[in-house]
Amino acid sequence: MIEAIGVIGGGQLGRMLTLVAKRMGYHVVVLDPQEHSPCGQVADEQIVAAYDDRAAIEELGRRSQIVTYEFENIDIGSVEHLERCGYRVTPSSAVLRATQDRLLEKSFVRECGIATTAFAAISSRGDIEAAAECTGFPAIVKTVHGGYDGKGQWRVDSVAGVHGAFEEARGAVLIAEREVEFSCELSVVASRGGDGSVVAFPVAENAHDRGILVRTIAPARIEPTLASQAQEMASAIGRRLGIVGTYCVELFLTHGGELLVNEIAPRPHNSGHFTIDTTPCSQYEQHVRAICGLPLSPPRMFCGAVMMNILGDGTGNHLMGTEALLGDPSIVLHVYGKRHAVARRKMGHFTMLVDAPIDDAILTRAAAAHAKLSWR
Ligand SMILES: Nc1ncnc2c1ncn2[C@@H]1O[C@H](COP(=O)(O)OP(=O)(O)O)[C@@H](O)[C@H]1O
Ligand SMILES: [Mg+2]
Protein backbone atom coordinates (compact mmCIF):
# COMPACT_ATOMS: atom_id res chain seq x y z
CA MET A 1 0.00 0.00 0.00
CA ILE A 2 1.29 3.45 -0.86
CA GLU A 3 1.30 6.00 1.94
CA ALA A 4 4.33 8.08 1.04
CA ILE A 5 5.46 9.40 -2.33
CA GLY A 6 9.06 10.38 -3.05
CA VAL A 7 9.64 13.14 -5.60
CA ILE A 8 12.99 13.84 -7.23
CA GLY A 9 13.09 17.54 -8.11
CA GLY A 10 11.68 20.40 -6.10
CA GLY A 11 10.39 22.83 -8.74
CA GLN A 12 6.90 24.08 -9.49
CA LEU A 13 5.76 20.86 -11.15
CA GLY A 14 6.69 18.95 -8.00
CA ARG A 15 4.92 21.61 -5.94
CA MET A 16 1.66 21.28 -7.87
CA LEU A 17 1.97 17.49 -7.77
CA THR A 18 2.53 17.61 -4.02
CA LEU A 19 -0.42 19.92 -3.38
CA VAL A 20 -2.68 17.32 -5.02
CA ALA A 21 -1.00 14.39 -3.31
CA LYS A 22 -1.52 16.11 0.04
CA ARG A 23 -5.19 16.64 -0.73
CA MET A 24 -5.42 12.93 -1.45
CA GLY A 25 -3.86 12.09 1.91
CA TYR A 26 -0.34 11.07 0.92
CA HIS A 27 2.86 11.87 2.75
CA VAL A 28 5.34 13.52 0.37
CA VAL A 29 9.13 13.55 0.58
CA VAL A 30 11.04 15.60 -1.98
CA LEU A 31 14.72 15.52 -2.89
CA ASP A 32 16.23 18.73 -4.21
CA PRO A 33 19.64 20.39 -3.77
CA GLN A 34 18.02 23.75 -3.01
CA GLU A 35 16.77 24.14 0.53
CA HIS A 36 13.17 25.38 0.85
CA SER A 37 12.46 24.54 -2.80
CA PRO A 38 9.02 25.35 -4.29
CA CYS A 39 8.06 21.72 -3.72
CA GLY A 40 9.84 21.45 -0.38
CA GLN A 41 7.68 24.31 0.95
CA VAL A 42 4.52 22.22 0.60
CA ALA A 43 5.88 18.70 1.07
CA ASP A 44 6.10 16.93 4.44
CA GLU A 45 9.85 16.51 4.19
CA GLN A 46 12.69 17.63 1.96
CA ILE A 47 15.99 15.83 1.61
CA VAL A 48 18.51 18.49 0.62
CA ALA A 49 20.97 16.73 -1.67
CA ALA A 50 22.26 16.56 -5.23
CA TYR A 51 20.31 14.41 -7.69
CA ASP A 52 23.28 12.08 -8.05
CA ASP A 53 23.84 11.65 -4.31
CA ARG A 54 23.26 7.90 -4.10
CA ALA A 55 22.93 7.78 -0.32
CA ALA A 56 20.32 10.55 -0.37
CA ILE A 57 18.46 8.91 -3.24
CA GLU A 58 18.36 5.65 -1.27
CA GLU A 59 17.03 7.59 1.71
CA LEU A 60 14.24 8.90 -0.53
CA GLY A 61 13.49 5.30 -1.53
CA ARG A 62 13.42 4.19 2.12
CA ARG A 63 11.08 6.98 3.19
CA SER A 64 8.49 6.32 0.46
CA GLN A 65 6.75 3.42 -1.26
CA ILE A 66 6.96 4.94 -4.74
CA VAL A 67 9.44 7.42 -6.19
CA THR A 68 8.67 9.70 -9.11
CA TYR A 69 10.34 12.75 -10.66
CA GLU A 70 9.17 16.14 -11.80
CA PHE A 71 11.74 16.87 -14.45
CA GLU A 72 13.70 14.68 -16.79
CA ASN A 73 17.19 16.10 -16.53
CA ILE A 74 17.94 14.16 -13.39
CA ASP A 75 20.72 11.64 -13.05
CA ILE A 76 19.61 8.43 -14.74
CA GLY A 77 22.20 6.52 -12.69
CA SER A 78 20.26 7.46 -9.55
CA VAL A 79 17.03 6.09 -10.96
CA GLU A 80 18.74 2.87 -12.04
CA HIS A 81 20.34 2.64 -8.61
CA LEU A 82 16.93 2.90 -6.93
CA GLU A 83 15.59 0.19 -9.21
CA ARG A 84 18.57 -2.07 -8.48
CA CYS A 85 18.01 -1.57 -4.76
CA GLY A 86 14.45 -2.81 -5.24
CA TYR A 87 12.69 0.52 -4.76
CA ARG A 88 9.78 1.32 -7.05
CA VAL A 89 10.36 4.24 -9.41
CA THR A 90 7.92 5.42 -12.01
CA PRO A 91 8.30 6.39 -14.82
CA SER A 92 11.05 3.77 -15.11
CA SER A 93 14.69 4.37 -16.00
CA ALA A 94 13.94 2.91 -19.45
CA VAL A 95 11.42 5.69 -20.07
CA LEU A 96 13.82 8.28 -18.73
CA ARG A 97 16.61 6.98 -20.97
CA ALA A 98 14.48 7.28 -24.11
CA THR A 99 13.27 10.78 -23.30
CA GLN A 100 16.45 12.34 -21.87
CA ASP A 101 18.29 12.01 -25.15
CA ARG A 102 16.87 14.00 -28.07
CA LEU A 103 18.32 11.57 -30.61
CA LEU A 104 16.88 8.45 -28.96
CA GLU A 105 13.62 10.31 -28.45
CA LYS A 106 13.14 11.31 -32.08
CA SER A 107 14.21 7.85 -33.27
CA PHE A 108 11.68 6.32 -30.90
CA VAL A 109 8.91 8.57 -32.24
CA ARG A 110 9.74 7.43 -35.76
CA GLU A 111 9.67 3.79 -34.63
CA CYS A 112 6.11 4.49 -33.52
CA GLY A 113 5.36 5.39 -37.15
CA ILE A 114 5.00 9.07 -36.26
CA ALA A 115 6.70 11.87 -38.18
CA THR A 116 9.33 14.26 -36.84
CA THR A 117 11.33 16.97 -38.54
CA ALA A 118 14.51 15.86 -40.35
CA PHE A 119 17.35 15.42 -37.87
CA ALA A 120 20.93 14.21 -37.64
CA ALA A 121 23.48 13.61 -34.91
CA ILE A 122 26.64 15.69 -34.56
CA SER A 123 29.17 14.09 -32.26
CA SER A 124 32.29 15.33 -34.00
CA ARG A 125 33.28 18.09 -36.40
CA GLY A 126 33.30 15.49 -39.16
CA ASP A 127 29.52 15.01 -38.81
CA ILE A 128 28.64 18.63 -39.52
CA GLU A 129 28.66 18.55 -43.31
CA ALA A 130 26.35 15.51 -43.55
CA ALA A 131 24.04 16.86 -40.84
CA ALA A 132 23.67 20.15 -42.71
CA GLU A 133 22.93 18.20 -45.88
CA CYS A 134 20.17 16.34 -44.03
CA THR A 135 18.48 19.32 -42.40
CA GLY A 136 19.12 22.21 -44.75
CA PHE A 137 18.84 25.76 -43.36
CA PRO A 138 17.69 27.35 -41.21
CA ALA A 139 18.34 24.59 -38.71
CA ILE A 140 18.08 24.33 -34.95
CA VAL A 141 21.09 22.77 -33.27
CA LYS A 142 20.48 21.45 -29.76
CA THR A 143 22.43 19.66 -27.09
CA VAL A 144 21.20 16.08 -27.03
CA HIS A 145 21.15 16.06 -23.22
CA GLY A 146 20.14 18.52 -20.54
CA GLY A 147 18.33 21.27 -22.45
CA TYR A 148 15.08 22.84 -21.29
CA ASP A 149 13.15 26.09 -21.84
CA GLY A 150 15.12 26.61 -25.06
CA LYS A 151 18.48 26.40 -23.26
CA GLY A 152 21.28 24.68 -25.19
CA GLN A 153 19.90 25.60 -28.61
CA TRP A 154 21.26 27.58 -31.56
CA ARG A 155 19.36 28.67 -34.64
CA VAL A 156 21.81 28.55 -37.52
CA ASP A 157 21.73 29.65 -41.15
CA SER A 158 24.90 28.11 -42.53
CA VAL A 159 27.51 25.40 -42.13
CA ALA A 160 29.69 28.03 -40.48
CA GLY A 161 26.85 28.61 -38.00
CA VAL A 162 26.79 24.91 -37.12
CA HIS A 163 30.55 25.00 -36.55
CA GLY A 164 30.01 27.98 -34.25
CA ALA A 165 27.39 26.07 -32.25
CA PHE A 166 29.70 23.06 -32.09
CA GLU A 167 32.49 25.24 -30.63
CA GLU A 168 30.16 26.81 -28.09
CA ALA A 169 28.80 23.43 -27.03
CA ARG A 170 32.36 22.40 -26.11
CA GLY A 171 32.20 18.74 -26.95
CA ALA A 172 28.55 18.05 -26.05
CA VAL A 173 26.80 15.69 -28.46
CA LEU A 174 24.42 17.68 -30.63
CA ILE A 175 21.35 17.11 -32.75
CA ALA A 176 20.66 19.25 -35.81
CA GLU A 177 17.02 19.62 -36.79
CA ARG A 178 15.38 21.17 -39.79
CA GLU A 179 13.52 24.26 -38.62
CA VAL A 180 9.81 23.58 -38.93
CA GLU A 181 7.69 26.36 -40.38
CA PHE A 182 4.67 25.72 -38.24
CA SER A 183 1.23 27.28 -38.20
CA CYS A 184 1.11 26.52 -34.48
CA GLU A 185 2.67 24.49 -31.71
CA LEU A 186 0.50 21.96 -29.89
CA SER A 187 0.84 19.62 -26.97
CA VAL A 188 -1.08 16.69 -25.62
CA VAL A 189 -0.88 15.91 -21.94
CA ALA A 190 -1.84 12.32 -21.27
CA SER A 191 -1.57 9.79 -18.47
CA ARG A 192 -1.10 6.06 -18.60
CA GLY A 193 -2.04 3.81 -15.72
CA GLY A 194 -0.27 0.66 -14.61
CA ASP A 195 -3.14 -1.32 -16.14
CA GLY A 196 -2.27 0.11 -19.56
CA SER A 197 -5.23 2.47 -19.80
CA VAL A 198 -4.48 5.89 -21.29
CA VAL A 199 -6.38 9.15 -20.96
CA ALA A 200 -5.50 12.23 -23.00
CA PHE A 201 -6.49 15.80 -22.15
CA PRO A 202 -7.82 18.09 -24.89
CA VAL A 203 -5.03 19.35 -27.15
CA ALA A 204 -3.36 22.59 -26.05
CA GLU A 205 -2.02 25.33 -28.30
CA ASN A 206 1.26 26.85 -27.20
CA ALA A 207 3.15 30.07 -27.87
CA HIS A 208 6.86 30.29 -27.06
CA ASP A 209 9.21 33.21 -26.76
CA ARG A 210 12.82 32.27 -27.56
CA GLY A 211 12.19 28.65 -26.61
CA ILE A 212 10.26 29.29 -23.40
CA LEU A 213 6.52 28.69 -23.09
CA VAL A 214 4.62 31.93 -22.54
CA ARG A 215 0.97 31.10 -23.31
CA THR A 216 -1.25 28.06 -23.63
CA ILE A 217 -4.75 28.06 -25.10
CA ALA A 218 -6.96 25.08 -24.33
CA PRO A 219 -8.58 23.55 -26.17
CA ALA A 220 -6.43 24.31 -29.22
CA ARG A 221 -8.20 26.14 -32.03
CA ILE A 222 -7.76 23.34 -34.57
CA GLU A 223 -10.02 20.97 -36.53
CA PRO A 224 -11.48 18.17 -34.36
CA THR A 225 -10.00 15.51 -36.67
CA LEU A 226 -6.51 16.96 -36.18
CA ALA A 227 -7.09 17.12 -32.44
CA SER A 228 -8.08 13.44 -32.33
CA GLN A 229 -5.07 12.58 -34.45
CA ALA A 230 -2.75 14.39 -32.02
CA GLN A 231 -4.36 12.64 -29.05
CA GLU A 232 -4.02 9.27 -30.75
CA MET A 233 -0.34 9.94 -31.43
CA ALA A 234 0.19 10.79 -27.77
CA SER A 235 -1.66 7.66 -26.65
CA ALA A 236 0.36 5.47 -29.04
CA ILE A 237 3.61 6.98 -27.76
CA GLY A 238 2.61 6.40 -24.14
CA ARG A 239 1.68 2.78 -24.81
CA ARG A 240 4.85 2.01 -26.70
CA LEU A 241 6.99 3.74 -24.07
CA GLY A 242 5.21 1.72 -21.40
CA ILE A 243 5.20 4.81 -19.22
CA VAL A 244 3.19 4.87 -16.01
CA GLY A 245 2.25 8.42 -15.08
CA THR A 246 1.46 11.73 -16.73
CA TYR A 247 3.50 12.74 -19.77
CA CYS A 248 3.36 15.29 -22.53
CA VAL A 249 3.92 15.12 -26.27
CA GLU A 250 4.85 18.41 -27.98
CA LEU A 251 4.00 18.78 -31.66
CA PHE A 252 4.25 21.18 -34.56
CA LEU A 253 1.35 21.64 -36.95
CA THR A 254 2.85 22.52 -40.32
CA HIS A 255 1.25 24.89 -42.80
CA GLY A 256 0.49 21.79 -44.87
CA GLY A 257 -1.60 20.35 -42.01
CA GLU A 258 0.94 17.72 -40.96
CA LEU A 259 1.61 16.89 -37.31
CA LEU A 260 5.27 16.43 -36.37
CA VAL A 261 6.27 15.36 -32.89
CA ASN A 262 8.94 17.58 -31.34
CA GLU A 263 9.54 16.06 -27.95
CA ILE A 264 8.20 13.94 -25.11
CA ALA A 265 8.28 14.97 -21.45
CA PRO A 266 7.88 11.99 -19.08
CA ARG A 267 6.17 14.10 -16.42
CA PRO A 268 3.42 16.69 -15.94
CA HIS A 269 4.00 19.67 -18.21
CA ASN A 270 3.77 23.46 -18.13
CA SER A 271 1.24 23.35 -20.98
CA GLY A 272 -1.02 21.20 -18.77
CA HIS A 273 -1.35 23.73 -15.93
CA PHE A 274 -4.79 24.63 -17.28
CA THR A 275 -6.04 21.23 -16.10
CA ILE A 276 -5.79 22.37 -12.46
CA ASP A 277 -8.51 24.97 -12.81
CA THR A 278 -10.62 23.60 -15.65
CA THR A 279 -10.96 19.87 -15.02
CA PRO A 280 -12.11 17.70 -12.11
CA CYS A 281 -8.86 15.71 -12.18
CA SER A 282 -5.75 17.66 -13.18
CA GLN A 283 -2.64 16.28 -14.88
CA TYR A 284 -1.08 16.16 -11.41
CA GLU A 285 -3.90 14.15 -9.90
CA GLN A 286 -3.83 11.78 -12.88
CA HIS A 287 -0.12 11.31 -12.19
CA VAL A 288 -0.71 10.56 -8.52
CA ARG A 289 -3.48 8.15 -9.45
CA ALA A 290 -1.32 6.42 -12.09
CA ILE A 291 1.72 5.92 -9.87
CA CYS A 292 -0.40 4.83 -6.90
CA GLY A 293 -2.37 2.30 -8.93
CA LEU A 294 -5.68 4.19 -8.73
CA PRO A 295 -8.13 4.50 -11.64
CA LEU A 296 -7.56 7.40 -14.03
CA SER A 297 -10.34 9.91 -14.58
CA PRO A 298 -11.64 10.51 -18.11
CA PRO A 299 -10.68 14.15 -18.86
CA ARG A 300 -13.50 16.65 -19.02
CA MET A 301 -13.14 20.43 -19.23
CA PHE A 302 -15.60 22.67 -17.38
CA CYS A 303 -14.54 25.59 -19.56
CA GLY A 304 -11.78 26.79 -21.88
CA ALA A 305 -8.58 28.41 -20.66
CA VAL A 306 -5.82 30.82 -21.51
CA MET A 307 -2.79 30.12 -19.34
CA MET A 308 -0.10 32.81 -19.18
CA ASN A 309 3.30 32.14 -17.64
CA ILE A 310 4.70 34.76 -15.30
CA LEU A 311 8.45 35.03 -15.85
CA GLY A 312 11.01 36.89 -13.79
CA ASP A 313 12.77 39.82 -15.43
CA GLY A 314 15.66 40.40 -13.07
CA THR A 315 14.37 43.76 -11.79
CA GLY A 316 13.06 42.60 -8.41
CA ASN A 317 11.69 39.67 -6.44
CA HIS A 318 8.27 41.00 -5.45
CA LEU A 319 5.38 40.46 -7.81
CA MET A 320 3.39 43.66 -8.19
CA GLY A 321 -0.04 44.19 -9.74
CA THR A 322 -1.79 41.08 -8.44
CA GLU A 323 -4.61 43.19 -7.01
CA ALA A 324 -5.37 44.63 -10.43
CA LEU A 325 -4.93 41.21 -12.04
CA LEU A 326 -7.44 39.57 -9.74
CA GLY A 327 -9.95 42.31 -10.42
CA ASP A 328 -10.87 40.03 -13.31
CA PRO A 329 -12.92 37.28 -11.65
CA SER A 330 -12.11 34.80 -14.41
CA ILE A 331 -8.43 34.72 -13.41
CA VAL A 332 -6.84 32.16 -11.08
CA LEU A 333 -3.30 32.98 -9.90
CA HIS A 334 -0.56 30.47 -9.08
CA VAL A 335 2.75 31.63 -7.59
CA TYR A 336 5.58 29.14 -7.07
CA GLY A 337 7.36 30.54 -4.02
CA LYS A 338 10.75 31.06 -5.69
CA ARG A 339 12.84 33.66 -3.91
CA HIS A 340 14.71 35.13 -6.85
CA ALA A 341 12.90 36.36 -9.95
CA VAL A 342 15.86 35.86 -12.26
CA ALA A 343 15.26 36.99 -15.85
CA ARG A 344 13.12 34.47 -17.78
CA ARG A 345 12.66 32.20 -14.78
CA LYS A 346 9.20 30.66 -14.42
CA MET A 347 7.83 32.30 -11.25
CA GLY A 348 4.12 31.63 -11.57
CA HIS A 349 1.23 31.56 -14.00
CA PHE A 350 -2.39 32.54 -14.23
CA THR A 351 -5.28 30.79 -15.87
CA MET A 352 -8.07 32.81 -17.41
CA LEU A 353 -11.25 30.73 -17.43
CA VAL A 354 -13.24 31.17 -20.61
CA ASP A 355 -16.79 30.05 -21.35
CA ALA A 356 -16.90 31.19 -24.99
CA PRO A 357 -14.77 30.04 -27.93
CA ILE A 358 -11.34 31.62 -27.53
CA ASP A 359 -10.93 34.51 -29.96
CA ASP A 360 -8.56 37.43 -30.42
CA ALA A 361 -10.52 39.63 -28.01
CA ILE A 362 -9.97 37.10 -25.21
CA LEU A 363 -6.29 36.78 -26.03
CA THR A 364 -5.97 40.57 -25.94
CA ARG A 365 -7.67 40.58 -22.54
CA ALA A 366 -5.26 37.92 -21.29
CA ALA A 367 -2.27 39.90 -22.57
CA ALA A 368 -3.61 43.08 -20.94
CA ALA A 369 -4.07 41.21 -17.66
CA HIS A 370 -0.50 39.94 -17.91
CA ALA A 371 0.76 43.47 -18.55
CA LYS A 372 -0.58 44.53 -15.13
CA LEU A 373 2.12 42.45 -13.48
CA SER A 374 5.65 43.64 -12.82
CA TRP A 375 8.58 42.98 -10.45
CA ARG A 376 9.98 45.25 -7.80
N1 LIG B 1 12.99 22.00 -35.25
C1 LIG B 1 12.36 23.08 -34.81
N2 LIG B 1 11.69 23.89 -35.66
C2 LIG B 1 11.06 25.01 -35.24
N3 LIG B 1 11.05 25.42 -33.96
C3 LIG B 1 11.71 24.68 -33.04
C4 LIG B 1 12.39 23.47 -33.42
N4 LIG B 1 12.93 22.94 -32.31
C5 LIG B 1 12.60 23.77 -31.30
N5 LIG B 1 11.87 24.82 -31.72
C6 LIG B 1 11.31 25.91 -30.89
O1 LIG B 1 11.99 25.96 -29.64
C7 LIG B 1 11.11 25.56 -28.58
C8 LIG B 1 11.87 24.76 -27.54
O2 LIG B 1 12.45 23.61 -28.15
P1 LIG B 1 12.25 22.14 -27.57
O3 LIG B 1 12.78 21.19 -28.56
O4 LIG B 1 10.83 21.95 -27.17
O5 LIG B 1 13.22 22.13 -26.33
P2 LIG B 1 12.99 22.37 -24.78
O6 LIG B 1 11.53 22.65 -24.56
O7 LIG B 1 13.43 21.09 -24.17
O8 LIG B 1 13.89 23.52 -24.44
C9 LIG B 1 10.00 24.79 -29.27
O9 LIG B 1 8.82 24.78 -28.50
C10 LIG B 1 9.87 25.59 -30.55
O10 LIG B 1 9.20 26.81 -30.34
MG1 LIG C 1 9.83 21.74 -25.42
Side-chain angles (χ1 to χ4, degrees):
M1 201 170 101
I2 294 171
E3 288 177 343
I5 299 172
V7 182
I8 306 174
Q12 64 269 18
L13 298 169
R15 179 185 177 97
M16 290 181 256
L17 181 69
T18 299
L19 289 170
V20 165
K22 290 308 301 168
R23 169 166 61 70
M24 295 173 77
Y26 292 101
H27 184 91
V28 181
V29 189
V30 57
L31 184 147
D32 191 273
Q34 186 92 39
E35 218 169 319
H36 212 59
S37 64
C39 180
Q41 293 165 25
V42 298
D44 294 280
E45 303 173 63
Q46 177 172 342
I47 298 171
V48 180
Y51 300 127
D52 60 357
D53 180 334
R54 294 288 159 89
I57 283 279
E58 273 185 51
E59 185 59 31
L60 185 70
R62 265 195 298 278
R63 291 198 209 168
S64 57
Q65 287 82 47
I66 187 91
V67 175
T68 189
Y69 41 89
E70 59 112 46
F71 85 128
E72 63 272 37
N73 294 324
I74 55 170
D75 177 44
I76 191 157
S78 298
V79 173
E80 287 167 341
H81 181 69
L82 277 176
E83 288 173 341
R84 271 196 307 272
C85 295
Y87 295 111
R88 290 176 59 197
V89 192
T90 183
S92 68
S93 61
V95 168
L96 190 58
R97 181 175 303 286
T99 52
Q100 260 189 349
D101 176 312
R102 294 188 193 277
L103 284 165
L104 291 180
E105 182 176 60
K106 286 205 162 58
S107 306
F108 169 79
V109 169
R110 290 203 171 170
E111 281 162 28
C112 295
I114 294 171
T116 70
T117 191
F119 68 93
I122 302 177
S123 37
S124 72
R125 216 178 300 274
D127 295 331
I128 291 178
E129 203 73 42
E133 187 84 13
C134 164
T135 63
F137 293 105
I140 315 282
V141 175
K142 307 176 184 176
T143 54
V144 163
H145 291 280
Y148 67 97
D149 287 347
K151 294 185 169 82
Q153 299 194 12
W154 298 263
R155 186 177 183 275
V156 292
D157 280 316
S158 63
V159 172
V162 186
H163 276 280
F166 185 80
E167 294 301 324
E168 271 186 55
R170 291 201 252 147
V173 180
L174 302 175
I175 180 174
E177 300 179 7
R178 175 175 298 160
E179 185 179 65
V180 180
E181 287 185 39
F182 51 81
S183 62
C184 67
E185 287 192 74
L186 303 169
S187 60
V188 180
V189 172
S191 308
R192 182 172 174 276
D195 61 355
S197 59
V198 178
V199 295
F201 283 102
V203 180
E205 178 183 336
N206 302 319
H208 292 82
D209 171 46
R210 286 166 289 159
I212 194 162
L213 184 72
V214 288
R215 185 187 72 197
T216 295
I217 298 169
R221 299 163 300 166
I222 55 171
E223 292 295 328
T225 48
L226 265 177
S228 321
Q229 210 184 317
Q231 285 175 311
E232 273 158 31
M233 285 177 172
S235 304
I237 284 172
R239 281 195 196 95
R240 184 132 176 176
L241 259 184
I243 190 169
V244 173
T246 291
Y247 61 100
C248 177
V249 175
E250 298 177 18
L251 310 101
F252 299 116
L253 176 61
T254 68
H255 292 295
E258 194 187 3
L259 289 168
L260 304 176
V261 166
N262 175 38
E263 64 171 348
I264 307 163
R267 51 165 174 80
H269 194 259
N270 191 168
S271 70
H273 288 349
F274 74 88
T275 63
I276 300 174
D277 303 306
T278 65
T279 73
C281 182
S282 71
Q283 61 167 349
Y284 302 100
E285 179 167 346
Q286 303 277 23
H287 187 73
V288 171
R289 288 184 181 213
I291 68 174
C292 294
L294 299 170
L296 301 178
S297 170
R300 182 161 74 88
M301 280 182 83
F302 300 134
C303 62
V306 181
M307 188 287 304
M308 305 283 289
N309 268 346
I310 302 168
L311 305 182
D313 66 5
T315 59
N317 298 321
H318 300 286
L319 183 60
M320 310 302 291
T322 51
E323 193 180 339
L325 179 83
L326 296 176
D328 183 334
S330 69
I331 286 178
V332 187
L333 178 64
H334 299 254
V335 178
Y336 307 150
K338 297 181 186 177
R339 289 226 187 99
H340 302 292
V342 174
R344 297 175 65 69
R345 186 173 197 199
K346 290 173 177 170
M347 299 298 293
H349 72 271
F350 68 79
T351 307
M352 180 177 267
L353 308 176
V354 187
D355 283 314
I358 294 168
D359 58 13
D360 287 347
I362 287 166
L363 297 181
T364 305
R365 224 179 84 212
H370 191 269
K372 291 180 177 147
L373 298 173
S374 62
W375 293 98
R376 196 161 77 200

